[in-house]
Amino acid sequence: MEARSAVVARGLLAGELADRHVLAGPADRRSWLPFLRGVGRIAVRFRVPVRLVGALASPGYALRHVERVRAGVAPLCVVAPDLPTAARLRRAEEIVAAVFPVLPTTAPAAGGGFVALGLARLLAGPDLPAADVHEVLRSLPHNVTTEMDLRLWALAARLRTDPASAAALADRDPADLAAAFHAGTLPAVLQAGLAGFLRDHGHRAAAEIDLGVARWSDDPTPVLAVLAGYLRLPVDERPDLAPDAQFARGARAAEETVAAVTARVRARSRLRAVLVRAALGRARALTGLREEHKDLLVRLLAAARANLLLVGADLARRGLLEVGADVVLLDLAEIAAAVAGADQRLLVARRRDIHARELRRRHVPRIVLADGTEPEAVAAPAPATADGALTGTAASAGVVEGPVRVVLDPADAALQPGEVLVVPSTDPGWTPLFLTAGALVMEMGGSNSHGAVVAREYGIPAVVGVAAATTRLRTGQVVRVDGAAGTVTPLDRRAE
């Protein structure tokens, strides 16, 4: 999932195994048993094997199960308007407690897809190379993240036909538009369309796993910036550039690849060909569900956040916090103490200073040893290639040349169609940008990390795990991204 960290971990492990004092003995071998027992208890409690087999047997079963889980989560996401503050805090705690079961309850649905893909690779052998696996996993159905992105594109297509909305997105700053949205003063089509999108997807954001981060419903600036970028796509002259057209093209390419792989396997064994085709069909039907658990988890976190902000507003009225939003700088026990009457303003001020300092930190070590050493920093640097290319992990095949756009915050993206998006990392809150990017380069991640997986679905070249990419590459610099080779090569020119 994070290739550079894996390299460091393997190196550390190799060093420890060379030390006889650390080399595994009987006690070390027994230390795996509690872990395995814990995993087994979770698997039994949440019927993971049964649900995994059920998904493999019938994708319809998996889809119905996920829909039942979603229906069960929905009531927790409703923010009651009239709860007393202490009861509202208990409500937030109940929502947070409901987060853990989401993963083992929903993951087996997508897990069936990954098992099917592994089976297909085993049966097909060399007839299913890695490049074809990437093709098979393009434009997957039942993926809430890509469905969200395509819905935003559909909204942009509607806004393109409304002169007032198109002019607002072209001429006004996204932050100004966000303020106008909350005031209800955007052009009518844009106001209604954005409200509808946020009603279903406003719980999302970049870095959305952090409960303290504002959701799109709190601040739709990133969504408005993406809409403005979509309107810059020249789809009138090039309909094939439209994201929905690209997604449909990817689905056709995936089906063609499944047929080609099946034909190659049939030349060796008809039975294997039947099994491979069935397994790849299951993989396509189920693997897109891998985004479900994260979406449900983030819905719960957004609901907990909404309740806590209302608690904070009451604490601010009582003079125990400066502003209600400060509540996210406290833990649940500290919030409970404030509800009971403790003044937390000094504690919040200290936390705010620490938070502001950490936000300025541009380098976050992946692994730090007990003595403070960062293994990556003391390791010998990787030798440069002859053409000065930056190297990383191949994540999505394809070659693209284009100007770089370094983005540290999607709210400030201003991404132009075809630019190479260079970022520290991504999560679903970043993916609307993928629809207009020419390629993706990430500092973090491996071939199975979120950005890599979504880039493959959209069919854009991607290289991940490129050390210091956001500082070694500059906005406007022209590069060649080779997603199969895992290289990003600076070219001797800048974009005009």
Side-chain angles (χ1 to χ4, degrees):
M1 296 297 290
E2 218 294 291
R4 287 166 53 198
S5 294
V7 171
V8 173
R10 290 189 193 103
L12 292 172
L13 183 61
E16 288 182 352
L17 291 177
D19 184 343
R20 291 183 179 275
H21 296 290
V22 185
L23 201 60
D28 293 315
R29 284 196 293 272
R30 285 197 302 270
S31 68
W32 280 95
L33 293 180
F35 168 75
L36 295 175
R37 281 197 296 267
V39 171
R41 281 195 296 269
I42 291 172
V44 171
R45 176 185 171 190
F46 294 101
R47 303 177 64 207
V48 171
V50 172
R51 288 175 175 146
L52 186 65
V53 172
L56 276 168
S58 169
Y61 163 87
L63 291 170
R64 290 190 296 273
H65 170 66
V66 168
E67 190 55 41
R68 285 194 296 271
V69 175
R70 185 174 287 274
V73 165
L76 290 172
C77 298
V78 176
V79 181
D82 53 359
L83 285 179
T85 298
R88 190 175 295 284
L89 177 58
R90 287 195 298 273
R91 175 72 167 172
E93 291 171 338
E94 291 169 0
I95 294 170
V96 171
V99 165
F100 168 73
V102 166
L103 177 59
T105 302
T106 57
F114 288 109
V115 169
L117 182 62
L119 179 61
R121 298 188 75 170
L122 181 66
L123 290 171
D127 291 325
L128 180 56
D132 281 357
V133 171
H134 290 183
E135 285 296 303
V136 168
L137 296 179
R138 286 185 63 183
S139 302
L140 293 171
H142 314 307
N143 184 319
V144 293
T145 300
T146 53
E147 288 170 357
M148 173 189 74
D149 297 342
L150 291 172
R151 178 171 171 184
L152 192 59
W153 164 252
L155 173 58
R158 190 160 73 249
L159 298 175
R160 188 185 295 271
T161 65
D162 179 61
S165 298
L169 288 166
D171 300 336
R172 296 171 63 181
D173 182 75
D176 174 49
L177 292 173
F181 170 75
H182 285 305
T185 59
L186 287 175
V189 177
L190 177 55
Q191 182 78 30
L194 182 57
F197 177 81
L198 295 177
R199 197 159 42 243
D200 293 332
H201 302 290
H203 59 288
R204 311 228 69 151
E208 60 193 4
I209 202 74
D210 183 349
L211 187 145
V213 168
R215 312 285 115 175
W216 285 344
S217 55
D218 301 322
D219 179 11
T221 299
V223 178
L224 288 157
V226 168
L227 284 171
Y230 287 175
L231 292 189
R232 290 192 290 267
L233 274 174
V235 293
D236 292 335
E237 298 81 22
R238 291 280 308 281
D240 59 304
L241 294 178
D244 53 352
Q246 294 187 54
F247 192 82
R249 195 158 56 244
R252 289 193 298 271
E255 294 299 337
E256 290 167 2
T257 302
V258 170
V261 170
T262 303
R264 290 197 293 268
V265 176
R266 188 180 296 115
R268 295 189 293 112
S269 167
R270 287 183 175 275
L271 175 60
R272 284 198 178 201
V274 170
L275 294 174
V276 166
R277 187 172 189 89
L280 291 178
R282 286 290 190 270
R284 282 195 55 76
L286 294 170
T287 309
L289 292 169
R290 66 168 178 265
E291 299 285 315
E292 283 291 333
H293 75 272
K294 177 71 180 296
D295 182 69
L296 293 173
L297 181 152
V298 173
R299 285 180 186 275
L300 289 168
L301 290 180
R305 171 184 166 84
N307 279 286
L308 290 177
L309 288 177
L310 290 171
V311 171
D314 180 65
L315 296 176
R317 283 191 296 269
R318 294 164 56 190
L320 303 172
L321 293 177
E322 290 293 339
V323 294
D326 285 345
V327 73
V328 299
L329 292 168
L330 300 172
D331 65 28
L332 290 171
E334 292 160 350
I335 298 171
V339 170
D343 187 337
Q344 301 287 29
R345 286 177 293 182
L346 288 178
L347 176 58
V348 164
R350 290 198 297 272
R351 296 263 173 84
R352 190 187 295 111
D353 289 343
I354 294 169
H355 187 240
R357 184 183 71 220
E358 290 301 318
L359 286 177
R360 294 192 296 270
R361 188 184 298 276
R362 292 272 62 89
H363 174 68
V364 180
R366 283 155 178 74
I367 295 178
V368 180
L369 305 186
D371 62 359
T373 302
E374 180 187 355
E376 261 199 332
V378 300
T385 62
D387 56 1
L390 284 62
T391 58
T393 298
S396 180
V399 178
V400 162
E401 292 185 6
V404 163
R405 175 71 63 174
V406 176
V407 179
L408 304 179
D409 182 344
D412 305 323
L415 186 70
Q416 301 297 316
E419 288 184 323
V420 175
L421 180 62
V422 179
V423 299
S425 184
T426 67
D427 61 14
W430 285 80
T431 57
L433 293 172
F434 288 20
L435 294 184
T436 53
L440 172 69
V441 177
M442 290 200 314
E443 291 183 332
M444 296 184 69
S447 61
N448 288 319
S449 60
H450 182 268
V453 168
V454 178
R456 287 198 293 272
E457 284 200 23
Y458 287 153
I460 63 172
V463 180
V464 301
V466 180
T470 59
T471 54
R472 296 165 72 185
L473 298 172
R474 305 178 308 281
T475 293
Q477 179 182 14
V478 177
V479 298
R480 179 187 298 111
V481 178
D482 188 330
T487 59
V488 184
T489 307
L491 303 178
D492 191 20
R493 65 181 190 274
R494 289 182 64 86
E496 296 181 358

